[in-house]
């Protein structure tokens, strides 16, 4: 079966969107999806932001890109102010930048823990702080990419799992705070998506071994695609989800339904 029919709806016509971590993977697929549905999109990423945006622009989409290291608080504020100056008030903020630290809790270095939290959690707060004052006046939507690792424990990635759990609950807290102002705040919790992000986890396993593992564990029998996660993010960001806020939407092929 093919993926969602991108561009059929125009749910973001006239809207301004920012995808933090949009240079690659799920964020890039989200930038494409939002732009295909009419948004003017800015991609912010540590690497490949401008190349990613140029690739989408070559397909006729209204996407620009700027470099941003989300671990630099001033840079997050400055970049989002620049987007506002150039494109207008931000209607949709997507947080997709992520970092995976592989170490058991005893071996985990404090710097590694802090760096993981800076990318996965602090950046969500900083970006939200930059866009919320205007959104409180005029409405808006924030969608952050958490993980099923934020809903379940698991060995080897304690900093990642803890930071993603915090994203889920920061999301709920911001939803509770700003719902009355017309601002919706949601998260998505993907399962396994082959963007390269999980390569450190699968280590020396071959692609065939990974697929065999996925088939044995995931009820739908396969990994998700970045486009499928992007479709869910677009749904949450759109008016189709007008009565959805504070939600953590699991997109994992049924993995967390099984244990
Ligand atoms: N791939 C999966 O299986 C999976 C599952 C659950 C959740 N996620 C989450 O999805 C999000 C996107 O991951 P992905 O799978 O697309 O991986 P990816 O590696 O393709 O994308 C992550 C992006 O984050 C950017 N980034 C990292 N550090 C940054 C920094 N300091 N400043 C700015 N940008 C930075 C990277 O440059 C990259 O473009 C992440 O938050 C990840 O935790 C992924």
């Amino acid at each position: 079966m093919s993926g969602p029919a991108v561009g059929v709806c125009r749910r973001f016509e006239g809207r301004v969107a920012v995808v933090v971590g949009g240079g690659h993977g799920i964020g890039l697929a989200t930038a494409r999806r939002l732009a295909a549905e009419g948004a003017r999109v800015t991609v912010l990423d540590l690497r490949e932001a401008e190349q990613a945006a140029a690739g989408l622009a070559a397909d006729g989409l209204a996407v620009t890109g700027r470099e941003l290291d989300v671990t630099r608080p001033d840079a997050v504020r400055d970049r989002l102010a620049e987007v506002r100056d150039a494109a207008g008030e931000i209607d949709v903020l997507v947080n997709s930048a992520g970092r995976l630290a592989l170490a058991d809790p005893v071996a985990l270095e404090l710097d590694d823990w802090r760096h993981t939290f800076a990318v996965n959690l602090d950046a969500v707060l900083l970006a939200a702080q930059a866009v919320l004052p205007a959104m409180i006046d005029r409405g808006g939507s924030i969608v952050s990419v958490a993980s099923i690792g934020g809903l379940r424990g698991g060995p080897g990635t304690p900093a990642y799992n803890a930071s993603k759990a915090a994203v889920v609950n920061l999301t709920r807290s911001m939803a509770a705070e700003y719902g009355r102002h017309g601002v919706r705040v949601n998260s998505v919790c993907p399962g396994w998506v082959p963007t390269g992000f999980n390569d450190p986890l699968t280590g020396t396993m071959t692609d065939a071994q990974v697929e065999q593992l996925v088939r044995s564990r995931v009820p739908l029998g396969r990994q998700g695609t970045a486009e499928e996660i992007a479709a869910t993010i677009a749904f949450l960001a759109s008016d189709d989800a007008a009565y959805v806020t504070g939600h953590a939407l699991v997109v994992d092929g049924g993995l967390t339904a099984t244990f």
Side-chain angles (χ1 to χ4, degrees):
M1 193 187 291
S2 62
V6 173
V8 170
C9 322
R10 300 284 292 179
R11 294 177 294 186
F12 300 101
E13 198 76 66
R15 301 207 181 160
V16 173
V18 175
V19 183
V20 181
H24 195 263
I26 292 167
L28 177 57
T30 302
R32 176 180 286 282
R33 177 71 190 234
L34 297 177
E37 290 204 35
R40 274 177 298 146
V41 179
T42 302
V43 164
L44 302 175
D45 202 297
L46 185 60
R47 55 192 165 94
E48 293 172 29
E50 283 166 23
Q51 297 96 306
L56 296 178
D59 290 340
L61 300 171
V63 184
T64 54
R66 295 295 304 276
E67 188 186 299
L68 170 67
D69 179 353
V70 295
T71 65
R72 295 176 49 223
D74 289 348
V76 175
R77 291 184 204 108
D78 290 350
R79 279 286 182 264
L80 287 164
E82 287 166 19
V83 172
R84 209 167 34 241
D85 290 345
E89 293 296 354
I90 295 161
D91 300 294
V92 173
L93 167 67
V94 176
N95 294 300
S96 191
R99 179 175 195 272
L100 186 65
L102 272 188
D104 67 58
V106 170
L108 184 62
E109 304 268 356
L110 192 55
D111 280 351
D112 210 8
W113 166 272
R114 287 184 174 146
H115 190 186
T116 304
F117 268 72
V119 175
N120 294 356
L121 178 64
D122 299 4
V124 172
L125 177 69
L126 291 166
Q129 286 178 331
V131 302
L132 275 167
M135 282 189 178
I136 286 166
D137 283 341
R138 56 198 298 280
S141 179
I142 300 175
V143 183
S144 299
V145 186
S147 170
I148 58 170
L151 305 175
R152 298 281 194 276
T157 54
Y160 182 77
N161 296 343
S163 67
K164 293 297 187 177
V167 169
V168 168
N169 218 25
L170 173 61
T171 295
R172 293 187 185 118
S173 301
M174 292 195 291
E177 193 87 44
Y178 299 116
R180 281 172 185 75
H181 297 276
V183 181
R184 295 184 303 102
V185 192
N186 291 288
S187 62
V188 295
C189 297
W192 238 309
V193 185
T195 58
F197 190 82
N198 295 322
D199 287 358
L201 272 177
T202 49
T204 55
M205 290 172 76
T206 63
D207 288 350
Q209 287 169 325
V210 171
E211 284 312 317
Q212 172 55 34
L213 178 65
V214 167
R215 258 199 309 281
S216 69
R217 298 273 310 277
V218 178
L220 289 182
R222 63 173 176 85
Q223 299 191 60
T225 65
E227 289 72 23
E228 287 168 329
I229 310 303
T232 308
I233 293 169
F235 161 69
L236 287 172
S238 79
D239 293 343
D240 284 342
Y243 201 53
V244 182
T245 196
H247 191 57
L249 210 169
V250 172
V251 195
D252 70 346
L255 181 56
T256 53
T258 63
F259 63 98

